[in-house]
Amino acid sequence: MGGIRERSSQGQQIYETKFRVRYAETDQMGVVYHSNYVIWFEVGRVEMLRQLGFTYRDMEQQDETHIAVVDLRCRYKVPARYDDLICVRTRLLNVRESLLRFGYEVVRDTDELLLAEGETVHLVVDAQLKRMKLPEKYLSAFLLAAGQNS
Amino acid sequence: MGGIRERSSQGQQIYETKFRVRYAETDQMGVVYHSNYVIWFEVGRVEMLRQLGFTYRDMEQQDETHIAVVDLRCRYKVPARYDDLICVRTRLLNVRESLLRFGYEVVRDTDELLLAEGETVHLVVDAQLKRMKLPEKYLSAFLLAAGQNS
Amino acid sequence: MGGIRERSSQGQQIYETKFRVRYAETDQMGVVYHSNYVIWFEVGRVEMLRQLGFTYRDMEQQDETHIAVVDLRCRYKVPARYDDLICVRTRLLNVRESLLRFGYEVVRDTDELLLAEGETVHLVVDAQLKRMKLPEKYLSAFLLAAGQNS
Amino acid sequence: MGGIRERSSQGQQIYETKFRVRYAETDQMGVVYHSNYVIWFEVGRVEMLRQLGFTYRDMEQQDETHIAVVDLRCRYKVPARYDDLICVRTRLLNVRESLLRFGYEVVRDTDELLLAEGETVHLVVDAQLKRMKLPEKYLSAFLLAAGQNS
């Protein structure tokens, strides 16, 4: 499930992906354990790539291009709960030759309540974790999604 | 495993806890998946509490005091790998009546290489997730650990 | 995503649910870490309940009925890989007043290759983990799904 | 933490490893989510190897020998809870040239209460997941640990 929602203010495309909270993701406070939002950000990133016409699987396997997380930030507003239908809204905040910055909103789908928001910064690296430039096909698509003029 | 290491510069106590990377924590890049550091921060917090003479279990069960994460930050330096002996160095950066800020360093124990560092901010809440003041016994111990004059 | 597929041989309804393998679920062998199939079984159970007209959330909250795992079995055939579209086929193998036995097939959706299969046995318990009888509305629906005459 | 406990009845060595339940491992029932026991079995296996003088890291990296799970069984007796000190008692039930069967008891360390028990069966495979024979140094050590005459 998912789709694209244009946002005009900064020209960035917003990509949505939806899934339900798993029981395994809850903790004894009765809410989702906070590290799971980090995994949800990854789900958002991956589905954004798919909606851009790529898969991260091919990016790794065919183009030996990996994006390694170097910085993570998450602000928690309202706890997600078991069986909630979650919508992750992902966008590219910044694109450079070997660096990507993604932004995320985690929303409860039924009432659009913002549960959490965050950012991740990634270096583009090869299989040996050495920094490299994004292959051109990704770079141009990412610049477009980020609303940047290349 | 763990212990206390005084740090003079800011008067904060540093609490260490050690454990090995589990196979389950790796991903197909051959390194630890990045959300696991967030769980390691929690392990560091909990063992810090234990070294202060409390358990978070009692804090929740007996004193109905929970500390809910509201902000998370992690900067990744060098990837942890399977079977590495990890040392998490935890300290209290800031203590207020109903807010705690922890800092963490994740270090590879064999050579003291810094793998990641981060901070979390927590609100003190009751079982219904409503904000409350820290019970006095915790507050005074936390202030001491943070090197703050109450 | 999901749906019902009748299977005539034993009269059990088979309920399907589909999702993609997350990067977080892989390990350094380049395949899905084996404990994740256990979580996928749970996803299959929960979606089966939903297709039966219930939610496990309501079952717990409104009817204080929990189903606690007491036995787990999984046989691994072919490893699932990152980004595979997975289909879990769940069915009720056996229903008794306070015991449920589920069966699962984990299939790669693109070519219907069987990746793993397993069973779980659950006791019906209340919030204090004490054994109880299934409320009538669940029992009758479950017996029907299991193809059992009550 | 851990150590060896001889068990005379079947001549198998029992290897112990201990750790605390993490908050992340609990679920909203207030107990440990059941898939985590499967990860604990892995911790038990790995620490057993270490006590035998090997590391699974070297086994994979230096000897390109992997042990892939093909069968898993777990019986849950009493739920583990947050902060419990857990002891996993691991032993080799059966050793063949390219197959290993491990048995596990998960015990609450404070009162030796049995929480769960299980078995896993593993094929010995190379990095391409093709079946291979155990290198001699492992085979002889494993046969000894299993109390088998080779």
Side-chain angles (χ1 to χ4, degrees):
Chain A
M1 287 189 289
I4 305 180
R5 268 171 51 133
E6 186 92 36
R7 194 175 74 157
S8 55
S9 68
Q10 300 162 46
Q12 300 154 345
Q13 302 270 11
I14 299 178
Y15 297 81
E16 297 195 335
T17 183
K18 298 181 186 183
F19 50 84
R20 281 197 188 274
V21 172
R22 299 173 175 184
Y23 206 91
E25 295 172 328
T26 64
D27 67 22
Q28 67 180 33
M29 270 293 275
V31 298
V32 169
Y33 185 77
H34 60 285
S35 73
N36 290 294
Y37 294 76
V38 179
I39 297 174
W40 296 353
F41 288 173
E42 178 231 300
V43 173
R45 272 194 312 278
V46 162
E47 294 306 320
M48 176 180 183
L49 278 183
R50 197 184 319 279
Q51 292 167 31
L52 282 171
F54 307 117
T55 67
Y56 187 60
R57 181 199 285 226
D58 290 347
M59 197 170 163
E60 283 202 342
Q61 284 181 1
Q62 293 175 15
D63 300 305
E64 292 182 11
T65 304
H66 307 258
I67 57 168
V69 184
V70 292
D71 203 330
L72 161 69
R73 180 82 187 272
C74 186
R75 291 170 297 280
Y76 301 89
K77 310 290 187 185
V78 177
R81 292 180 182 274
Y82 170 61
D83 211 44
D84 279 351
L85 185 60
I86 298 298
C87 176
V88 180
R89 295 178 179 158
T90 307
R91 62 186 194 280
L92 263 166
L93 299 176
N94 196 253
V95 175
R96 294 212 305 261
E97 270 181 347
S98 57
L99 187 143
L100 298 170
R101 195 157 66 90
F102 290 88
Y104 313 89
E105 289 180 348
V106 175
V107 171
R108 190 165 62 196
D109 197 59
T110 41
D111 56 3
E112 303 234 338
L113 183 67
L114 179 65
L115 305 180
E117 54 183 7
E119 301 86 38
T120 55
V121 179
H122 302 255
L123 288 186
V124 183
V125 296
D126 64 18
Q128 284 69 49
L129 302 174
K130 284 197 184 144
R131 199 156 175 174
M132 59 176 277
K133 291 185 185 179
L134 267 178
E136 175 55 30
K137 63 177 172 181
Y138 297 111
L139 182 59
S140 53
F142 291 173
L143 286 168
L144 201 65
Q148 291 176 228
N149 295 321
S150 58
Chain B
M1 287 189 288
I4 305 180
R5 269 171 52 131
E6 187 92 37
R7 194 175 75 157
S8 55
S9 68
Q10 301 163 46
Q12 300 155 345
Q13 302 271 11
I14 300 178
Y15 297 82
E16 297 195 334
T17 184
K18 297 180 186 183
F19 50 85
R20 281 197 187 275
V21 172
R22 299 173 174 183
Y23 206 91
E25 295 172 328
T26 63
D27 67 22
Q28 69 180 31
M29 269 295 273
V31 298
V32 169
Y33 185 77
H34 61 286
S35 73
N36 290 293
Y37 294 77
V38 180
I39 297 174
W40 296 352
F41 289 173
E42 177 230 302
V43 173
R45 273 196 309 278
V46 162
E47 294 307 319
M48 177 181 183
L49 279 183
R50 197 184 319 280
Q51 291 167 32
L52 282 171
F54 308 116
T55 67
Y56 187 61
R57 181 199 284 226
D58 290 347
M59 198 170 162
E60 284 202 341
Q61 285 181 359
Q62 293 176 15
D63 300 305
E64 292 183 11
T65 304
H66 307 259
I67 56 167
V69 184
V70 291
D71 204 330
L72 160 70
R73 179 81 187 271
C74 186
R75 291 171 296 281
Y76 301 88
K77 310 290 187 186
V78 178
R81 292 181 182 273
Y82 170 59
D83 210 44
D84 280 350
L85 186 59
I86 297 298
C87 176
V88 180
R89 295 177 180 159
T90 308
R91 62 187 194 280
L92 264 166
L93 299 176
N94 195 254
V95 175
R96 294 213 306 261
E97 270 181 347
S98 58
L99 187 144
L100 299 170
R101 195 156 67 90
F102 290 87
Y104 313 89
E105 289 180 347
V106 175
V107 171
R108 191 165 61 197
D109 196 59
T110 40
D111 56 3
E112 304 235 337
L113 184 67
L114 180 65
L115 306 179
E117 55 183 6
E119 301 85 39
T120 55
V121 180
H122 302 255
L123 288 185
V124 183
V125 296
D126 64 18
Q128 284 70 49
L129 302 174
K130 285 198 183 143
R131 201 156 174 174
M132 60 175 276
K133 290 185 185 179
L134 266 178
E136 176 55 31
K137 64 176 171 182
Y138 297 111
L139 182 59
S140 54
F142 291 173
L143 286 168
L144 201 66
Q148 292 176 227
N149 295 322
S150 58
Chain C
M1 286 187 291
I4 304 179
R5 269 170 51 133
E6 186 91 38
R7 195 175 74 157
S8 55
S9 67
Q10 300 163 47
Q12 300 155 346
Q13 303 270 13
I14 299 178
Y15 297 82
E16 297 195 335
T17 183
K18 298 181 185 182
F19 50 84
R20 280 197 188 275
V21 173
R22 299 173 175 184
Y23 206 90
E25 294 172 328
T26 63
D27 68 23
Q28 68 181 33
M29 269 294 274
V31 298
V32 169
Y33 185 76
H34 61 285
S35 73
N36 290 295
Y37 293 77
V38 179
I39 297 174
W40 296 352
F41 288 174
E42 179 231 300
V43 173
R45 272 196 310 278
V46 162
E47 294 306 319
M48 177 181 182
L49 278 183
R50 198 184 318 279
Q51 291 167 32
L52 283 171
F54 308 118
T55 67
Y56 187 60
R57 181 200 286 227
D58 290 346
M59 197 170 164
E60 284 202 340
Q61 284 181 0
Q62 294 176 14
D63 299 305
E64 292 183 11
T65 304
H66 306 259
I67 57 168
V69 184
V70 292
D71 203 331
L72 161 70
R73 180 82 187 272
C74 186
R75 291 170 297 281
Y76 301 88
K77 310 292 184 184
V78 177
R81 292 179 183 273
Y82 169 60
D83 211 44
D84 279 350
L85 186 59
I86 298 296
C87 177
V88 180
R89 295 178 179 158
T90 308
R91 61 188 196 279
L92 265 166
L93 299 175
N94 196 254
V95 175
R96 292 212 307 261
E97 271 181 346
S98 58
L99 187 145
L100 298 169
R101 197 156 66 90
F102 289 87
Y104 313 88
E105 288 180 348
V106 175
V107 171
R108 191 165 62 198
D109 197 58
T110 40
D111 57 3
E112 304 235 336
L113 183 66
L114 180 66
L115 305 179
E117 55 184 6
E119 300 87 38
T120 54
V121 180
H122 302 256
L123 287 186
V124 183
V125 296
D126 63 18
Q128 284 70 47
L129 302 174
K130 283 198 184 145
R131 200 155 175 174
M132 59 175 277
K133 290 185 186 180
L134 266 178
E136 176 55 30
K137 63 176 171 181
Y138 297 111
L139 182 59
S140 53
F142 290 173
L143 286 168
L144 201 65
Q148 290 176 230
N149 295 322
S150 58
Chain D
M1 287 188 289
I4 304 179
R5 271 170 51 132
E6 185 92 37
R7 194 175 74 158
S8 56
S9 67
Q10 301 164 46
Q12 300 155 346
Q13 303 270 13
I14 299 178
Y15 296 82
E16 297 195 334
T17 183
K18 298 180 186 183
F19 50 84
R20 281 197 188 274
V21 173
R22 299 172 176 185
Y23 206 91
E25 294 173 329
T26 63
D27 67 22
Q28 67 180 33
M29 269 294 273
V31 299
V32 170
Y33 185 77
H34 61 285
S35 73
N36 290 294
Y37 293 77
V38 179
I39 296 174
W40 296 353
F41 289 174
E42 179 231 301
V43 173
R45 274 197 308 278
V46 162
E47 294 306 320
M48 177 181 182
L49 278 183
R50 199 184 318 279
Q51 291 167 32
L52 283 171
F54 307 118
T55 67
Y56 187 60
R57 181 200 284 227
D58 289 347
M59 198 169 162
E60 283 202 341
Q61 284 181 359
Q62 294 175 14
D63 300 305
E64 292 183 10
T65 304
H66 306 259
I67 57 168
V69 184
V70 291
D71 204 330
L72 161 70
R73 180 82 187 272
C74 186
R75 290 169 297 281
Y76 301 88
K77 310 291 185 187
V78 177
R81 291 179 183 273
Y82 169 59
D83 211 44
D84 280 350
L85 186 59
I86 298 297
C87 177
V88 180
R89 295 178 179 158
T90 307
R91 61 189 196 278
L92 264 166
L93 298 175
N94 196 254
V95 175
R96 293 212 307 261
E97 271 182 346
S98 58
L99 187 144
L100 299 169
R101 196 156 66 89
F102 290 87
Y104 313 88
E105 288 180 349
V106 175
V107 171
R108 191 165 61 197
D109 197 57
T110 41
D111 57 2
E112 304 235 337
L113 183 66
L114 180 66
L115 305 179
E117 56 184 6
E119 300 86 37
T120 54
V121 180
H122 302 256
L123 287 185
V124 183
V125 296
D126 63 18
Q128 284 70 48
L129 302 174
K130 284 198 183 145
R131 200 157 174 172
M132 59 175 277
K133 290 185 185 179
L134 266 178
E136 176 55 30
K137 63 176 172 181
Y138 297 111
L139 181 60
S140 53
F142 290 173
L143 287 168
L144 202 64
Q148 291 176 228
N149 295 322
S150 57

